[in-house]
Amino acid sequence: MNWENLISDKRLGLEEFHDKNSQMRSVFQRDFDRMVFSSPFRRLQNKTQVFPLPGSVFVHNRLTHSLEVSTVGRSMSREVLHRIITRNLFPSQTHILEHIPDIVATACLCHDLGNPPFGHSGEKTISTWFSEGPGRDLKSEVSERQWADLINFEGNANSFRLLTHQFVGRRKGGFAMTYSTLGTLVKYPWTSQHAGDKGKFGFFESEEGLYRKVADWLGIPELNTGVFARHPLVYLMEAADDICYQIMDIEDAHKLGILSLSEAFEYLLAFFQKDKRDKLLRGTGYLDDPNEKIGYLRSNVIGEMVANCADAFLEYIDPIMNGEKVSPLVELMPDPQKLAYRECSNLAYNRIYCAPDVVDVDLAGGRIINYLLDVLMEAVLNPEKNYSMLLLTKMPKQYDINAPTIYGKIQAVLDHISGMTDVYALDLFRKLNGHSLPAV
């Protein structure tokens, strides 16, 4: 792959207006601004990240998480750019590479747009509605590839759809993002039939043609049928996400009393050698507020990981540019950072993600999403019924409930549900169950 192709200001849906001589700096910045002012991005403020949304303690939601990932992604990209210039690695392409921070920051901002309400359990609930629930009856109504899309419902693929699909009444190209931003967004550039045990993939069948168009223009090779190389900048976006959700979960867990101060200290200080550890401990001694102490350590951990991931990116730049599969950058950090990160990951799965409040959200959110899938799928697939006709009046017009295929009708329901906030989904659930009525 070549940077001259990989960094392109061409916009999806507006190709006929493309001007190669335009000022690309403002184009990539406009991608970022376009997302900040978009409705899907605003809705992230009311979508669960891990912990229940604010009670007396404010924890991260999808919006704050995305902003932090974007900030870390921009910082990491600047570190990479600084090293490239200092080492004179791509001397003839520096003018192109200076756009990397804006591209990565925007992709980071967009990476969770397609996630349904109630955290990652929302994805699993949708998948299992098809694989284990009433949706099994629909298997014979769709193709093998479409069925793989449904039983592996993936927020990353849904983000690409949200940004590129022409919804009813909307313009061609969706949000008309630049090809480079879209290429950097797709963390798993393969079809659902290659999703594997983890169920990860990058685009639904309905958007495969759009992804192929983007990949072809950017020079991203197809390694096997339906499996593409990653855009090199995906590694920076992925690392920023990995850093933020793992480290910020520890900070949130401390605020909520799941981890003691000493436990949080232990996991965060493990990222450093003894001399640096002693220095950081002296620094925390100037702070009285426990949350400020954790915040101070957290910022230093992120800074350390950003530098290490930037080094790893350039150390593996040749295989990355050749489209070879490379481990996530956090797994390529030196010891002790790599081992400390793994310990944080183990902690999250053993203590944080199974905390009672987190499980309560998973259980309640699963019940809500399952119910909405039951009634909305029934209405869309049997629109002639009286209750269906009433219910369909509540569906936003942008979703194509009259699609000519069963797969298209199913996607209309999934578009609606995945776009809901936690509060909206709960409110609709109550209304449809008769637990909430206007003026009662």
Side-chain angles (χ1 to χ4, degrees):
M1 290 179 279
N2 187 290
W3 289 117
E4 294 282 354
N5 295 329
L6 289 167
I7 298 180
S8 170
D9 63 342
K10 191 174 184 180
R11 289 191 178 280
L12 185 68
L14 300 178
E15 289 83 359
E16 64 269 30
F17 302 108
H18 180 231
D19 178 7
K20 285 187 177 182
N21 297 317
S22 65
Q23 296 297 312
M24 287 195 295
R25 179 182 300 275
S26 62
V27 170
F28 294 122
Q29 288 174 343
R30 285 202 296 271
D31 269 2
F32 185 91
D33 297 344
R34 186 169 294 182
M35 280 302 98
V36 169
F37 285 90
S38 71
S39 295
F41 184 70
R42 286 196 300 274
R43 287 197 293 268
L44 293 178
Q45 68 184 305
N46 195 237
K47 286 191 175 186
T48 299
Q49 174 65 17
V50 173
F51 299 103
L53 293 176
S56 59
V57 179
F58 190 89
V59 293
H60 288 82
N61 55 40
R62 288 281 179 195
L63 181 70
T64 53
H65 168 71
S66 297
L67 288 169
E68 289 172 349
V69 173
S70 183
T71 299
V72 171
R74 189 187 294 276
S75 296
M76 192 183 303
S77 299
R78 286 173 174 164
E79 291 277 355
V80 167
L81 184 58
H82 174 72
R83 286 160 170 72
I84 287 175
I85 294 173
T86 301
R87 301 175 192 178
N88 199 33
L89 295 181
F90 302 98
S92 64
Q93 298 174 319
T94 302
H95 66 293
I96 294 290
L97 298 177
E98 66 183 11
H99 303 300
I100 288 177
D102 286 330
I103 296 170
V104 172
T106 305
C108 289
L109 208 63
C110 300
H111 82 283
D112 271 352
L113 286 180
N115 282 67
F118 307 112
H120 285 292
S121 66
E123 292 173 285
K124 190 65 176 177
T125 299
I126 292 173
S127 297
T128 55
W129 188 86
F130 290 99
S131 63
E132 301 175 8
R136 286 177 297 181
D137 295 339
L138 297 171
K139 183 176 182 179
S140 61
E141 303 292 332
V142 296
S143 69
E144 182 179 343
R145 163 69 192 283
Q146 292 167 351
W147 184 246
D149 285 355
L150 299 175
I151 62 173
N152 296 291
F153 182 83
E154 166 59 46
N156 292 278
N158 204 41
S159 294
F160 186 76
R161 174 176 171 83
L162 185 61
L163 291 176
T164 62
H165 182 69
Q166 185 178 6
F167 291 95
V168 177
R170 305 299 176 88
R171 68 180 172 185
K172 180 182 177 183
F175 281 86
M177 305 295 282
T178 61
Y179 279 40
S180 290
T181 294
L182 293 173
T184 304
L185 173 70
V186 181
K187 191 187 289 189
Y188 312 107
W190 47 80
T191 68
S192 58
Q193 291 175 307
H194 300 278
D197 294 338
K198 294 185 177 180
K200 300 294 185 181
F201 65 101
F203 41 84
F204 299 120
E205 183 191 64
S206 48
E207 283 72 55
E208 181 176 350
L210 292 175
Y211 182 77
R212 286 184 175 277
K213 185 177 184 178
V214 169
D216 182 63
W217 179 262
L218 297 178
I220 298 175
E222 186 172 8
L223 306 178
N224 296 304
T225 303
V227 179
F228 293 80
R230 277 179 154 191
H231 190 296
L233 299 184
V234 167
Y235 287 94
L236 299 180
M237 185 267 289
E238 177 183 55
D241 187 28
D242 288 343
I243 290 171
C244 286
Y245 79 74
Q246 209 67 273
I247 303 306
M248 303 311 298
D249 284 353
I250 290 180
E251 185 172 19
D252 282 348
H254 169 259
K255 286 183 178 180
L256 293 169
I258 296 172
L259 296 179
S260 67
L261 181 63
S262 61
E263 286 176 315
F265 263 51
E266 176 187 349
Y267 283 96
L268 294 176
L269 288 172
F271 283 86
F272 306 100
Q273 301 287 358
K274 186 178 185 305
D275 289 348
K276 181 67 179 291
R277 200 179 306 154
D278 292 341
K279 181 180 179 181
L280 290 173
L281 281 172
R282 288 195 298 271
T284 61
Y286 295 105
L287 302 169
D288 294 325
D289 188 332
N291 290 331
E292 287 297 312
K293 291 176 184 283
I294 297 301
Y296 171 71
L297 293 180
R298 176 258 302 153
S299 66
N300 279 274
V301 170
I302 290 177
E304 186 78 11
M305 293 182 72
V306 163
N308 287 330
C309 287
D311 287 337
F313 180 78
L314 291 181
E315 181 180 351
Y316 288 86
I317 190 64
D318 288 340
I320 287 173
M321 295 297 288
N322 289 332
E324 298 173 26
K325 186 176 182 180
V326 174
S327 297
L329 299 182
V330 293
E331 286 295 321
L332 300 175
M333 297 188 298
D335 295 333
Q337 287 77 25
K338 178 172 64 177
L339 297 178
Y341 182 84
R342 286 179 180 173
E343 286 302 309
C344 289
S345 180
N346 291 334
L347 170 72
Y349 283 101
N350 294 328
R351 296 265 310 271
I352 297 176
Y353 300 155
C354 59
D357 286 349
V358 176
V359 175
D360 286 346
V361 169
D362 290 348
L363 291 172
R367 173 64 68 89
I368 292 168
I369 291 176
N370 271 310
Y371 176 77
L372 294 178
L373 283 167
D374 288 344
V375 297
L376 291 175
M377 287 293 185
E378 171 67 18
V380 168
L381 297 176
N382 299 284
E384 73 284 354
K385 294 182 178 181
N386 182 62
Y387 185 75
S388 297
M389 288 188 283
L390 287 172
L391 189 54
L392 292 178
T393 63
K394 297 186 68 64
M395 286 277 285
K397 302 302 181 186
Q398 70 192 68
Y399 303 129
D400 190 7
I401 59 176
N402 297 312
T405 66
I406 295 295
Y407 179 64
K409 293 178 186 295
I410 292 172
Q411 281 192 306
V413 173
L414 298 183
D415 289 334
H416 184 30
I417 292 177
S418 64
M420 293 179 183
T421 64
D422 293 13
V423 169
Y424 183 93
L426 175 59
D427 181 58
L428 184 59
F429 172 80
R430 286 171 172 167
K431 287 178 178 177
L432 295 181
N433 275 288
H435 298 158
S436 174
L437 289 172
V440 175

